[in-house]
């Protein structure tokens, strides 16, 4: 065991000495591997960060959450012209499902009515995203309140003029003064502020609740009625924990089909979208991005690998005389093999570590310039980068190392003279 350890140590020292004595060659070899590893880890880090950001924006909703509406999340076999004829889900359907659908933890009816301007005395905030929802939305979305409360069932049903403001909206309207109980103007009417949401921060694609406001859906229904196609109505359902989702969706679909009096041979003129399906779609897209990035980066790494192999063949040729002398003094083939193999692996690992370091620097700079979007270089990606570079070094150096170990000592000394 000690003999092998000594053999490895001496081979390692020879490899390090060779790299030090050929600085330009070492630099050129490092460059190819560094670029390849940088490309791979940068792609992995960027896709991971994108995936984490998207899923983070959905984290307030449980994956089992179901959204019923006239549109679908993904592709559909139903022709577009036919889908466009589907009716919107209605408030009456929401009430029917609330009373008749079993195994429901919470159910909400929501209207996305776009952006509005909110006024308080002389101050005005425009482009406020308005969410018209029922009282159960607070439970489904798991909203976090900094102060105040969400509206209750009585206020939801009666359409009381109350409103919950996002953090940024409250700051712009009231500054440091207490917002609760204050009255703002919107839609030409007055609304009493009863709650303010905790600061959330901007999302990747915007849409932060910091710039949103929530009010009872029946207020909007009184203003616009139920035939406003731009309102984008939807029924959001959170099933009880542990419920079989496939069975739950089947029951939900049949209930709504019965309510709409659809015949058995007629297709469902609505879509039951599960948030888990959307999450799976995101995983599929990011997986494809990862694959494309790895293929492109693989070409860079291939060039780096060929570079190391080429340099190692040159190194073997230059040190042929030295190899012959070492063998004539009793050096075994394993010693020569490990000597060159270590040199190739060390080159590749150093290049890989430099590539990982550069990705870390770029991720820090990118996070500074992109606000709330954070690029994350995970330890797993750093490990992948190091291991890939070691494997590239091993593969690139194995043939030159074998060629060096099999040289005849007499021929090697004669050739090197």
């Amino acid at each position: 065991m000690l003999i092998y350890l000594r053999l490895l140590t001496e081979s390692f020292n020879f490899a390090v000495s060779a790299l030090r004595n050929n600085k330009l060659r070492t630099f050129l070899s490092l460059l190819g591997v560094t670029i390849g590893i940088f490309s791979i880890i940068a792609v992995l880090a960027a896709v991971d960060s994108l995936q984490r950001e998207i899923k983070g924006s959905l984290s307030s909703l449980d994956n089992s959450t179901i959204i019923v509406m006239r549109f679908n999340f993904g592709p559909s076999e139903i022709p577009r012209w036919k889908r466009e004829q589907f009716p919107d889900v209605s408030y009456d359907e929401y009430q029917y499902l609330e009373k008749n659908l079993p195994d429901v933890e919470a159910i909400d009816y929501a209207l996305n009515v776009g952006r509005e301007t909110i006024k308080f005395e002389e101050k005005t905030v425009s482009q406020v995203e308005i969410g018209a929802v029922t009282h159960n939305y607070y439970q489904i979305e798991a909203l976090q309140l900094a102060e105040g409360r969400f509206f209750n069932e009585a206020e939801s049903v009666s359409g009381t003029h109350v409103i919950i403001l996002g953090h940024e909206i409250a700051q712009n309207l009231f500054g440091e003064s207490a917002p609760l109980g204050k009255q703002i103007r919107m839609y030409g009417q007055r609304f009493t502020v009863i709650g303010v949401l905790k600061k959330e921060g901007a999302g990747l694609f915007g849409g932060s609740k910091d710039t949103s406001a929530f009010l009872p859906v029946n207020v909007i229904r009184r203003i616009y009625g139920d035939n406003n196609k731009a309102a984008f109505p939807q029924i959001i359902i959170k099933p009880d924990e542990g419920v079989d989702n496939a069975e739950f969706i089947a029951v939900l679909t049949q209930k709504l089909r019965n309510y709409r009096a659809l015949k058995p041979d007629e297709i469902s003129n609505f879509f039951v979208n599960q948030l888990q399906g959307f999450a799976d779609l995101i995983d599929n897209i990011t997986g494809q991005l990862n694959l494309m990035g790895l293929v492109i980066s693989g070409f860079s790494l291939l060039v780096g690998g060929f570079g190391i192999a080429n340099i190692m063949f040159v190194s073997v040729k230059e040190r042929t005389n030295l190899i012959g002398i070492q063998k004539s003094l009793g050096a075994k083939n394993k010693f020569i093999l490990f000597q060159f193999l270590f040199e190739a692996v060390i080159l590749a690992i150093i290049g890989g570590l430099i590539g990982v370091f550069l990705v870390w620097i770029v991720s820090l700079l990118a996070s500074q310039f992109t606000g709330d979007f954070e690029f994350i270089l995970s330890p797993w990606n750093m490990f992948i980068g190091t291991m890939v570079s070691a494997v590239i070094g091993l593969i690139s150096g194995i043939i030159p190392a074998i060629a060096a170990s099999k040289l005849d000592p007499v021929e090697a000394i004669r050739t090197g003279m």
Side-chain angles (χ1 to χ4, degrees), residues 185-244:
R185 289 190 63 83
M186 186 173 60
Y187 300 115
Q189 303 177 29
R190 293 185 181 276
F191 291 81
T192 302
V193 179
I194 61 171
V196 176
L197 298 176
K198 285 184 179 179
K199 185 176 181 180
E200 182 179 86
L204 175 63
F205 305 109
S208 168
K209 293 182 181 64
D210 292 344
T211 57
S212 300
F214 296 92
L215 69 163
V217 69
N218 283 339
V219 174
I220 299 299
R221 291 180 65 231
R222 277 204 303 266
I223 295 173
Y224 290 111
D226 287 326
N227 296 316
N228 181 12
K229 289 293 183 181
F232 197 62
Q234 51 194 300
I235 298 173
I236 308 172
I237 306 170
K238 184 178 182 181
D240 285 332
E241 188 175 352
V243 170
D244 184 276

Side-chain angles (χ1 to χ4, degrees), residues 18 42 48 58 84 127 181 206 208 211-212 215 235 254 261 270 287 309 369:
D48 283 353
L58 299 174
E84 290 176 348
Q127 296 297 307
S208 168
T211 57
S212 300
L215 69 163
I235 298 173
Q254 191 57 50
F270 56 88
F369 287 104

Side-chain angles (χ1 to χ4, degrees), residues 368-384:
Q368 294 295 322
F369 287 104
T370 53
D372 293 301
F373 181 73
E374 183 181 5
F375 284 89
I376 299 172
L377 178 59
S378 67
W380 175 247
N381 284 340
M382 295 172 66
F383 174 76
I384 289 176

